């Protein structure tokens, strides 16, 4: 028996003994038991796994909150005071519970009489005596300080950011706000708000609503900036950004518009900001409701992920900035449009709880598509929907509906269901209602629920009211149930009867999660250039439809207006596919034809795809034709790509180059070298550099080392050189890559530097001596930039050196919501699995022992609790006996004259 096995048995024995002792203790003293003592399993029970989440009760109506904070940029802390005005709802209020995570509370005062307050790790509970009557407005003021782990993020020189770009920003969604001020943190409550921030005089402060005042405190020299949001909004939309920003300004009607960036980024601001006014104009016309807030500002912050739609102040990532040298490859149109339309959907009306979060994100996703159609044409909008559907309609299990309550963490809701599928549901609803009625429904929905919280049924009720139709089935199958229809469509022509036959079969599994779908759509036949449409209803597993036509159609299309989210298998003869490619009135038909032709692999298919690549009217079809030629992957396909590289649209040019790079040929390498000499577009250059990663030769090494040292926007070219080095997986790059990271850290983005650390580990993982690389990576495990710190710890896992286990162990823990601890734990598991001479069963034993240790710790706590209750009970018994003796003595003493014994 190995030592590890012995330790396992010993741990198990201790566990059983502890459990037995605990159970015996309760059995001997049942008066102490608060219920059955359960030996807790490490894995979740079935009951735990399906626990459903709902909005909490609102015992008080939060009316207004004032947040007054003074940040210390060097210490990365805040000192604050929060004043909350509220009124109890329905019942007298004894306790007010506010969300507050790791706040150091120094004082709590109230306009009502307090019995006291309690501060826990995640809440402040204020007790009132007497209870506050319903509807009586009351205030509480909390003074505190904090070193926020989430919610408020600093970007300072001590963390490796430029001094000229020093700033902070906040993020509230879903539940990060309590890390920097106390609040009621759930979207079923709304209040007005004020934010006051005190900063050095050379800094800018931005927040929600309108600027009320800006004045310097003569005692501190700090500038106090006050913003007021006087329309009620949910708590997670409170925002603050403060620091060294520059701006560009504009306006739409009487609405001030501004775009702020850290000082060093201002040159790229116009590229991202330029369409904002046009977007507001479009959304006001399309939605029918005026822009609802005092201003619209956008601010870019370092190492912020994506965008956040705080009321009147959207925070964006620096990744949304780009230079004109990328031509049309890079655009922030989608992100800017998405966050802007949230000012209506998500801010003006907000989901009541996270199970209905699609009412925020699905609307923003679809209206982002609608603006694309307005700006770039309907083909562009349909192409966006096509790409989304193709990405979504995979063979992976789709067993969660959009409205889903059995989640453990609210962030789990923000996946494809909430965004992509939610957007597609609205597209299908628009197709079902027609554009004008859809607009009327959405306008009414917003006006009826303005500045309040909503659930899906609120939308359904408006749609049914204004359309006169029942939409229960629509929402049931698409929103309250999971999945999508998988269809097999077959077409045939009877020359004798002049009949077109179309069969439709639903082939997906029907179960408790996924329904058999019921939907309307169309079939379109093109005869002699004229479209003949026929409406159909699919409401069972299989249908056969027959249609008389004057002659055989050269095109047959299912769902020609692209209003159905479905995975469709519709095999057609090649001749019909070629006809699709010619039909410039049907972009989806052409895209589907390209997708089908890549399976043919014959010379005519290659010729047709080459023609589409060079001649189709829409860039998206040309791009997809290029990708199809790559998948065909024969000599003719390579020649077609090589002869089609000169493309006026940079997006297509980039795709063609990538697809040429997908062939392992000397001609492909020669193309990359030529592009590196002639191309000016930084994104196309980056693609050429990446494709060098297939070729091991001296010239490739020379080029990659040169580009590691190159200067480019956001270090794009060096990032591509790192990606190529990873593909080559050659240890000879260890030294130059390590030197680049050591000397040029400031030129990399945090994400790019983290990826480079992992690449270094990847190419060194098979070296006999990994000491130098391990030590190099270890120098970054305490880096002040979280992304780099996480990247270094993850890279140690990639390196696979068992000597790194003690380092990574210090960061690994079991907090499932802590992404840093999760990352460290994954790295630790990699190291443990790669450790030499450790059999799989020992690895599993180690995991089991870890679980048992946790259970033993819990049992120890339970035993300690039982012990304390026993001691308390014994002391109580002693006191009771003493009191009984005292009462006996008193009863033996004669009463004084005139006393009333009954009163005693």
């Amino acid at each position: 028996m190995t030592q590890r096995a012995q330790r396992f048995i010993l741990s198990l024995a201790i566990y059983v003994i502890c459990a037995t002792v605990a159970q015996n203790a309760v059995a001997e003293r049942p008066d102490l038991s608060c219920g059955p003592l359960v030996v807790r399993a490490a894995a979740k029970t079935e009951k735990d796994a399906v626990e459903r989440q709902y909005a909490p009760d609102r015992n008080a109506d939060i009316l207004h909150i004032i947040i007054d904070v003074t940040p210390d940029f060097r210490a990365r802390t805040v000192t604050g005071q929060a004043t909350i005005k509220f009124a109890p709802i329905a019942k007298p209020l004894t306790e007010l519970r506010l969300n507050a995570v790791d706040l150091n509370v120094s004082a709590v005062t109230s306009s009502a009489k307090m019995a006291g307050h309690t501060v826990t790790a995640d809440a402040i509970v204020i007790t009132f005596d007497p209870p506050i009557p319903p509807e009586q407005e009351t205030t509480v003021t909390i003074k505190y300080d904090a070193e926020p782990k989430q919610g408020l993020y600093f970007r300072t020189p001590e963390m490796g950011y430029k001094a000229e770009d020093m700033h902070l920003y906040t993020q509230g969604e879903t539940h990060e706000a309590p890390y920097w001020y106390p609040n009621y943190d759930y979207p079923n409550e709304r209040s007005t708000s004020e934010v006051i921030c005190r900063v050095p005089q050379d800094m800018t402060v931005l927040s929600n609503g309108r600027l009320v005042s800006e004045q310097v405190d003569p005692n501190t020299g700090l500038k106090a900036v006050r913003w007021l949001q006087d329309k009620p909004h949910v708590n997670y939309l409170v925002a603050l950004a403060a620091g060294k920003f520059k701006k560009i300004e504009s306006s739409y009607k009487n609405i001030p518009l501004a775009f702020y960036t850290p000082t060093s980024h201002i040159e790229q601001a116009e590229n991202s900001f330029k369409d904002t006014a046009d977007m507001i104009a479009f959304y006001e016309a399309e939605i029918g409701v005026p822009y609802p807030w005092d201003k619209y500002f956008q601010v870019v912050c370092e190492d912020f992920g994506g965008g956040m739609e705080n009321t009147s102040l959207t925070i964006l990532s620096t990744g949304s900035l780009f230079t004109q040298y990328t031509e049309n490859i890079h655009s922030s149109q989608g992100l800017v449009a998405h966050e802007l339309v949230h000012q209506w959907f998500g801010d003006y009306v907000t989901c009541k709880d996270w199970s209905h979060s699609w009412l925020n994100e699905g609307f923003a996703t679809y209206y982002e598509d609608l603006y694309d159609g307005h700006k770039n044409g309907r083909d562009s909008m349909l192409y966006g929907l096509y790409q989304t559907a193709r990405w979504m309609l995979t063979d992976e299990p789709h067993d969660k509906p959009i409205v889903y309550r059995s989640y453990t963490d609210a962030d789990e809701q923000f996946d494809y269901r909430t965004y992509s599928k939610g957007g597609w549901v609205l597209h299908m609803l628009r197709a079902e209602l027609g554009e004008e009625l859809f607009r009327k429904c959405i306008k009414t929905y917003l006006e009826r629920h303005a500045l309040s919280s909503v659930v899906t049924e609120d939308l359904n009720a408006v749609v049914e009211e204004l359309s006169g139709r029942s939409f229960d089935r629509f929402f049931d199958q698409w929103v309250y149930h999971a999945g999508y229809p998988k269809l097999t469509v077959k077409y045939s022509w009877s020359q004798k009867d002049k009949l077109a036959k179309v069969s439709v079969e639903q082939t997906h599994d029907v179960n408790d999660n996924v329904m058999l779908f019921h939907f309307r759509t169309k079939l379109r036949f093109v005869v002699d250039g004229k479209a003949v449409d026929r409406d159909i209803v699919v409401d069972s597993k299989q249908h056969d439809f027959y249609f008389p036509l004057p002659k055989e159609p050269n095109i047959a299309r299912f769902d020609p207006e692209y209003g159905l989210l479905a995975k469709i298998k519709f095999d057609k003869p090649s001749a019909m596919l070629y006809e699709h490619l010619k039909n410039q009135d049907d972009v989806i038909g052409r895209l589907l034809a390209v997708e089908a032709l890549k399976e043919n692999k014959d010379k005519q298919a290659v010729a047709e795809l080459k023609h589409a690549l060079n001649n189709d009217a829409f860039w998206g079809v040309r791009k997809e034709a290029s990708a199809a030629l790559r998948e065909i992957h024969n000599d003719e396909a390579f020649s077609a790509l090589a002869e089609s590289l000169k493309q006026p649209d940079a997006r297509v040019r980039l795709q063609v180059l990538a697809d040429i790079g997908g062939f392992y040929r000397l001609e492909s390498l020669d193309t990359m070298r030529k592009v590196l000499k002639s191309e000016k577009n930084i994104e196309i250059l980056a693609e050429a550099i990446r494709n060098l990663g297939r070729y091991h030769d001296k010239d490739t090494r020379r080029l990659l080392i040169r580009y590691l040292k190159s200067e480019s926007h956001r270090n794009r070219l060096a990032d591509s050189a790192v990606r190529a080095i990873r593909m080559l997986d050659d240890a000879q790059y260890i030294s130059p890559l390590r030197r680049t990271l050591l000397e040029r850290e400031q030129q990399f983005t945090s994400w790019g530097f983290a990826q480079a650390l992992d690449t270094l580990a990847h190419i060194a993982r098979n070296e006999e001596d990994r000491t130098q690389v391990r030590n190099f990576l270890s120098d970054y495990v305490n880096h002040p930039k979280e992304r780099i710190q996480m990247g270094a710890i993850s890279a140690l896992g990639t390196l696979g050196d068992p000597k790194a286990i003690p380092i990574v162990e210090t960061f690994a823990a079991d907090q499932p919501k802590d992404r840093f601890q999760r990352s460290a734990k994954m790295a630790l598991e990699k190291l443990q699995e790669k450790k030499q001479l450790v059999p799989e069963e020992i690895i599993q034993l180690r995991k089991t022992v870890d679980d048992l240790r946790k259970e033993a710790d819990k049992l120890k706590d339970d035993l300690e609790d039982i012990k304390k209750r026993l001691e308390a009970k014994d002391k109580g018994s002693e006191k009771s006996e003493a009191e009984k003796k005292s009462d006996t003595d008193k009863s033996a003493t004669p009463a004084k004259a005139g006393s009333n014994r009954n009163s005693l």
Side-chain angles (χ1 to χ4, degrees):
M1 182 182 294
T2 67
Q3 288 184 342
R4 288 188 179 87
Q6 289 173 348
R7 285 200 298 270
F8 168 71
I9 293 173
L10 178 61
S11 299
L12 182 59
I14 293 171
Y15 178 80
V16 173
I17 291 169
C18 289
T20 304
V21 169
Q23 288 172 327
N24 289 341
V26 173
E28 290 174 8
R29 297 293 298 270
D31 55 309
L32 296 178
S33 177
C34 295
L37 181 65
V38 179
V39 179
R40 295 172 177 83
K44 285 189 175 183
T45 65
E46 184 178 353
K47 181 179 178 181
D48 292 332
V50 296
E51 182 178 355
R52 295 169 68 80
Q53 306 288 338
Y54 298 93
D57 292 339
R58 294 170 57 244
N59 298 318
D61 182 14
I62 307 298
L63 303 173
H64 186 67
I65 181 167
I66 303 173
I67 307 159
D68 187 336
V69 292
T70 303
D72 185 328
F73 282 85
R74 184 176 295 275
R76 301 199 289 277
T77 60
V78 292
T79 302
Q81 175 176 295
T83 300
I84 300 172
K85 181 192 291 187
F86 65 94
I89 300 173
K91 298 179 182 178
L93 184 70
T94 301
E95 287 187 346
L96 176 68
R97 186 182 190 280
L98 298 173
N99 301 103
V101 182
D102 295 335
L103 300 186
N104 303 312
V105 176
S106 57
V108 178
T109 57
S110 176
S111 61
K113 184 180 178 182
M114 290 171 47
H117 72 273
T118 302
V119 179
T120 69
D122 62 359
I124 301 170
V125 181
I126 305 168
T127 306
F128 302 97
D129 187 13
I132 303 170
E135 300 183 14
Q136 178 175 304
E137 292 189 5
T138 306
T139 62
V140 293
T141 298
I142 300 158
K143 293 184 177 181
Y144 63 95
D145 62 82
E147 185 178 350
K149 296 178 182 177
Q150 297 180 46
L152 189 148
Y153 300 89
F154 288 92
R155 299 294 181 250
T156 68
E158 292 79 11
M159 301 174 70
Y161 298 93
K162 295 178 181 178
E164 62 179 323
D165 292 338
M166 181 165 58
H167 62 278
L168 64 80
Y169 66 85
T170 64
Q171 167 64 24
E173 193 180 47
T174 49
H175 296 294
E176 293 193 35
Y179 286 84
W180 70 282
Y181 69 94
N183 52 72
Y184 175 92
D185 196 40
Y186 207 82
N188 64 337
E189 177 62 275
R190 303 175 81 89
S191 71
T192 54
S193 64
E194 282 178 76
V195 174
I196 305 162
C197 185
R198 304 169 190 274
V199 296
Q201 296 177 40
D202 62 342
M203 286 190 173
T204 299
V205 174
L206 304 171
S207 189
N208 314 85
R210 56 186 172 85
L211 181 63
V212 175
S213 65
E214 189 172 301
Q215 56 190 16
V216 176
D217 185 333
N219 296 320
T220 64
L222 296 178
K223 178 174 62 176
V225 184
R226 179 189 293 261
W227 290 87
L228 170 65
Q229 179 58 276
D230 56 8
K231 293 180 180 178
H233 57 90
V234 299
N235 183 70
Y236 74 78
L237 295 172
V238 170
L240 171 64
K244 297 182 178 181
F245 297 114
K246 286 192 173 182
K247 67 176 178 177
I248 56 175
E249 295 179 282
S250 182
S251 64
Y252 169 74
K253 296 181 179 177
N254 62 340
I255 301 168
L257 306 179
F259 194 97
Y260 291 79
T261 75
T263 302
S264 69
H265 295 280
I266 193 63
E267 288 184 9
Q268 286 82 45
E270 180 63 27
N271 296 326
S272 298
F273 178 70
K274 61 184 179 182
D275 291 330
T276 303
D278 183 61
M279 290 176 183
I280 296 178
F282 169 74
Y283 285 140
E284 285 193 338
E286 177 64 32
I287 297 168
V289 175
Y291 177 79
W293 310 102
D294 292 313
K295 70 173 189 305
Y296 189 61
F297 286 4
Q298 299 167 84
V299 57
V300 166
C301 295
E302 294 279 6
D303 285 339
F304 179 81
M308 182 60 210
E309 66 277 8
N310 314 294
T311 58
S312 77
L313 177 65
T314 286
I315 298 178
L316 300 168
S317 164
T318 48
S320 65
L321 301 174
F322 58 95
T323 73
Q324 60 184 354
Y325 300 110
T326 63
E327 298 175 69
N328 59 5
I329 292 174
H330 267 312
S331 170
S332 57
Q333 174 192 297
L335 177 63
V336 172
H338 181 103
E339 303 306 334
L340 171 58
V341 81
H342 266 310
Q343 300 298 314
W344 287 268
F345 305 106
D347 294 6
Y348 196 51
V349 296
T350 311
C351 63
K352 176 185 175 183
D353 65 57
W354 301 119
S355 68
H356 295 274
S357 57
W358 82 281
L359 295 173
N360 297 2
E361 299 299 346
F363 270 92
T365 300
Y366 186 51
Y367 278 77
E368 171 191 335
D369 290 330
L370 289 178
Y371 179 75
D372 185 33
H374 162 77
K375 179 75 175 177
N376 303 307
R378 182 169 174 79
D379 282 359
S380 184
M381 171 188 155
L382 291 175
Y383 183 45
L385 289 164
Y386 170 83
Q387 289 177 303
T388 300
R390 183 172 59 181
W391 169 76
M392 248 196 310
L393 302 179
T394 65
D395 292 327
E396 296 296 319
H398 290 257
D399 54 359
K400 290 182 182 179
I402 290 177
V403 174
Y404 179 72
R405 295 192 178 275
S406 299
Y407 58 86
T408 56
D409 186 277
D411 290 336
E412 296 172 21
Q413 289 295 91
F414 291 80
D415 60 11
Y416 77 93
R417 295 169 298 125
T418 295
Y419 290 84
S420 302
K421 189 176 180 183
W424 251 99
V425 167
L426 292 171
H427 180 61
M428 291 188 288
L429 183 61
R430 192 170 187 251
E432 187 76 22
L433 292 171
E435 293 183 8
E436 289 305 316
L437 181 55
F438 177 81
R439 288 191 187 99
K440 184 178 180 181
C441 289
I442 299 308
K443 180 177 185 289
T444 304
Y445 162 74
L446 279 174
E447 291 174 338
R448 186 169 297 175
H449 300 287
L451 300 173
S452 66
S453 299
V454 289
V455 295
T456 301
E457 191 52 38
D458 293 322
L459 176 62
N460 186 19
V462 171
V463 170
E464 291 193 343
E465 175 188 328
L466 297 184
S467 69
R469 295 167 50 192
S470 172
F471 275 79
D472 288 341
R473 189 203 308 272
F474 178 91
F475 285 98
D476 194 17
Q477 65 187 8
W478 292 112
V479 178
Y480 295 112
H481 280 77
Y484 52 83
K486 293 182 180 179
L487 307 175
T488 297
V489 180
K490 296 180 180 179
Y491 158 81
S492 62
W493 170 255
S494 171
Q495 184 64 37
K496 177 183 176 182
D497 301 318
K498 296 288 192 293
L499 284 178
K501 177 185 177 183
V502 177
S503 301
V504 181
E505 182 182 5
Q506 300 193 53
T507 60
H508 58 275
D509 293 333
V510 178
N511 51 48
D512 291 342
N513 295 321
V514 183
M515 298 175 66
L516 189 71
F517 285 82
H518 182 295
F519 56 86
R520 306 167 189 259
T521 188
K522 290 181 179 180
L523 294 169
R524 175 171 296 164
F525 305 97
V526 178
V527 181
D528 290 336
K530 295 182 179 180
V532 179
D533 286 356
R534 295 290 183 262
D535 294 329
I536 62 171
V537 175
V538 175
D539 58 4
S540 62
K541 184 174 178 59
Q542 202 276 334
H543 289 275
D544 291 328
F545 300 100
Y546 295 88
F547 303 100
L549 296 171
K551 61 184 295 188
E552 181 177 5
N554 55 352
I555 289 178
R557 281 275 280 118
F558 180 85
D559 185 31
E561 295 177 357
Y562 206 47
L564 176 68
L565 179 64
K567 188 170 186 177
I568 302 169
K569 184 178 185 298
F570 190 176
D571 293 332
K572 300 177 183 179
S574 295
M576 185 174 285
L577 296 177
Y578 302 149
E579 290 296 322
H580 276 300
L581 278 180
K582 296 175 185 176
N583 187 359
Q584 295 298 306
D585 296 328
D586 182 6
V587 69
I588 296 297
R590 302 200 305 279
L591 289 166
L592 292 172
V594 167
E595 190 174 332
L597 283 172
K598 69 186 180 185
E599 304 298 329
N600 288 7
K601 298 183 182 295
D602 58 41
K603 292 181 180 179
Q604 187 173 358
V606 169
E608 295 289 344
L609 289 170
K610 180 183 178 183
H611 184 269
L613 170 57
N614 289 283
N615 297 283
D616 196 275
F618 179 59
W619 71 271
V621 175
R622 302 199 299 274
K623 180 175 179 286
E624 296 296 332
S626 177
L629 288 167
R630 176 179 180 170
E631 290 201 38
I632 290 175
H633 214 83
N634 57 24
D635 291 344
E636 290 81 7
F638 180 82
S639 297
L641 288 167
E643 294 166 9
S644 305
L645 185 55
K646 292 183 179 180
Q647 294 284 340
D649 190 301
R651 294 167 292 189
V652 183
R653 196 160 78 249
L654 175 64
Q655 183 68 46
V656 174
L657 184 70
D659 293 328
I660 291 172
F663 287 76
Y664 183 74
R665 297 170 176 240
L666 288 178
E667 300 98 311
S668 177
L669 177 59
D670 288 340
T671 299
M672 301 305 143
R673 288 169 174 164
K674 290 175 182 177
V675 166
L676 290 174
K677 291 178 181 178
S678 62
E679 183 63 65
K680 302 299 182 185
N681 189 307
I682 188 174
E683 288 302 317
I684 296 175
L685 286 171
E687 181 62 31
I689 293 167
R690 188 187 70 83
N691 280 304
L692 295 177
R694 304 182 195 280
Y695 303 94
H696 293 265
D697 59 41
K698 291 182 179 180
D699 190 52
T700 293
R701 177 179 168 83
R702 177 186 60 80
L703 286 169
L704 291 179
I705 292 175
R706 187 182 98 193
Y707 283 110
L708 279 177
K709 302 174 183 178
S710 65
E711 300 283 344
S712 59
H713 180 63
R714 295 180 63 79
N715 216 35
R716 189 74 179 90
L717 300 184
D719 283 346
S720 288
V722 171
R723 292 178 66 190
I725 288 171
R726 188 183 188 93
M727 292 169 64
L728 288 167
D729 197 7
D730 189 337
Q732 69 173 327
Y733 289 97
I734 292 174
S735 179
L737 179 55
R738 188 173 68 232
R739 185 167 56 252
T740 296
L741 294 175
L742 189 63
E743 297 173 353
R744 303 190 69 245
E745 178 183 338
Q746 290 297 319
Q747 280 67 48
F748 282 88
T749 63
S750 298
W751 182 88
F753 195 83
Q755 291 296 108
L757 289 175
D758 198 71
T759 294
L760 178 64
H762 179 76
I763 63 177
R765 72 193 185 284
N766 295 321
E767 295 296 287
E768 289 187 15
D769 186 358
R770 289 164 281 183
T771 304
Q772 283 190 334
V773 174
R774 185 185 72 246
N775 290 340
F776 181 82
L777 296 174
S778 300
D779 287 341
Y780 292 92
V781 298
N782 293 307
H783 198 282
K785 289 185 179 180
E786 185 184 58
R787 288 193 182 184
I788 293 179
Q789 185 185 23
M790 289 175 62
I793 293 169
S794 178
L796 285 171
T798 300
L799 184 64
D801 186 346
K803 292 180 181 178
I805 289 177
I807 301 170
V808 178
E809 277 181 332
T810 64
F811 297 96
D814 291 307
Q815 294 295 327
K817 295 183 180 180
D818 190 316
R819 61 181 182 177
F820 181 83
Q821 292 185 9
R822 288 200 311 267
S823 177
K825 189 174 182 181
M826 290 172 60
L828 183 60
E829 288 173 355
K830 280 185 181 181
L831 288 168
Q832 290 171 339
E833 289 170 5
K834 291 178 180 180
K835 189 173 182 181
Q836 294 180 356
L837 305 177
V838 179
E840 177 62 26
E841 58 269 23
I842 296 300
I843 293 172
Q844 295 304 318
L845 278 174
R846 184 187 293 118
K847 291 180 179 177
T848 304
V849 170
D850 287 342
D851 291 338
L852 288 170
R853 185 182 297 115
K854 294 172 192 171
E855 296 306 316
D857 290 342
K858 185 68 179 78
L859 282 168
K860 182 180 177 182
D861 292 340
D862 290 344
L863 286 169
E864 185 66 25
D865 182 64
I866 292 170
K867 179 181 177 182
K868 289 179 179 178
R869 282 189 282 154
L870 279 168
E871 291 173 350
K873 187 73 173 177
D874 290 341
K875 288 180 181 178
S877 298
E878 292 173 3
K879 182 177 179 181
S880 178
E881 290 298 326
E883 289 173 346
K884 286 180 182 178
K885 186 175 186 301
S886 176
D887 290 344
T888 302
D889 292 343
K890 289 178 181 178
S891 65
T893 303
K896 292 182 180 179
S899 68
N900 187 342
R901 290 186 57 85
N902 290 331
S903 69
L904 298 175

